Amino acid sequence: MRRKIAAGNWKMNGTRASRAVLEALVRDHGDTAAEVIICPPAPLIPILADAAGAFSIGGQDCHAAASGPHTGDISAETLKDCGASHVIVGHSERRADHGESDADVLAKAEAAYRAGLVAIICVGETEAERDAGQTTAVVARQIEGSVTTSATAENTVIAYEPVWAIGTGRTPSIDEIAETHAALRAMVAKRLGSETAAAMRLLYGGSVKPGNAAEIFALEDVDGGLVGGASLKAEDFGPIIDAAAG
Ligand code: 13P
């Protein structure tokens, strides 16, 4: 049985006062059957880690190196020390805004493992790639290039996030999500073996809302969601946690 995950990616949103959002979620959903992970901007990690209860806190990116002359970057070791247990790597916004390649993402995932963090590795096609019928090919290339062979079901979660569905209110159809996630699990099996693939959590991300989460999370190969906008308010993310709890 794969325990479902409700992961919130706060992106570049929030202040110290946002701790109240986490406190409300812990108060109302602290005993949920789902695994809940909140990924705030890095400076908020220690503040949220203090209030997280059974929930986990994650970073949104890390540098591949453990330390060194990389102004503005943050190592996986520092994230861990500040209270993170997870880190998102290869989000499409990092791939686009910072030119991160599959090889960069793979190195960041290895840094996460080195520091003892779980890597949430993101993949997903652009709208142009989707229109060209390349969704599966693009995701397969990203899995080959971004997922190291040292990935396990314990140290890695994979999030499929179609770039065109992020922040747009649009999602693939439920059949398309089912089809892509089944293909994704087969790709993971090819790369890491069928036992690892059967146990690894595969998240869907891109305009997950209280109104669509239950239907998406009920799909056989969807093990929860990576949620942006709807993770910023307890009244939106609470029902998504409930949907992941089943
Ligand atoms: P939205 O839920 O705002 O579409 O963002 C999805 C996402 O990018 C999560 O990482």
Side-chain angles (χ1 to χ4, degrees), residues 41-66:
L44 301 182
I45 289 173
I47 295 157
L48 293 200
D50 255 6
F55 295 178
S56 297
I57 304 298
Q60 298 177 8
D61 175 52
C62 65
H63 195 278

Side-chain angles (χ1 to χ4, degrees), residues 14-21 44:
T15 62
R16 286 177 295 166
S18 311
R19 177 178 156 128
V21 174
L44 301 182

